[in-house]
Amino acid sequence: MDVIKEDHVLDCSGLLCPMPIVKTSKAMEVLDTGQILKMIATDAGSPPDIEAWSRQTGNELLLSTAEGEKFVFFLRKN
């Protein structure tokens, strides 16, 4: 398995919906096309929210994993 190298890390631990999505949207605005954002969240609603956000915005969800009580997402700006 290839290792994904992020260009920026956004820790949304402890934040509830909709803040992880709001902060992810703002973080993606400053990235260049093709750069990768690693977003960490603890809100159990984050996985479906990030999947829907990715579909709606066209930004690519490269990987979504759960690490203990944290959810980790790698998103590529398109």
Side-chain angles (χ1 to χ4, degrees):
M1 182 174 145
D2 292 334
V3 175
I4 299 173
K5 176 66 177 119
E6 70 273 4
D7 296 290
H8 184 74
V9 177
L10 175 65
D11 189 351
C12 294
S13 298
L15 299 178
L16 299 176
C17 184
M19 292 313 296
I21 294 295
V22 170
K23 290 190 174 282
T24 296
S25 293
K26 288 186 183 284
M28 292 295 274
E29 287 176 5
V30 300
L31 294 180
D32 293 328
T33 299
Q35 286 190 307
I36 296 173
L37 174 70
K38 176 182 181 180
M39 193 274 272
I40 303 161
T42 51
D43 183 2
S46 293
D49 289 348
I50 286 291
E51 289 174 19
W53 177 85
S54 175
R55 281 192 310 273
Q56 292 169 355
T57 63
N59 293 297
E60 185 179 359
L61 177 59
L62 300 172
L63 181 65
S64 174
T65 63
E67 297 177 3
E69 294 182 12
K70 295 190 178 203
F71 302 95
V72 180
F73 308 95
F74 288 88
L75 299 147
R76 177 181 289 132
K77 182 170 181 175
N78 289 335

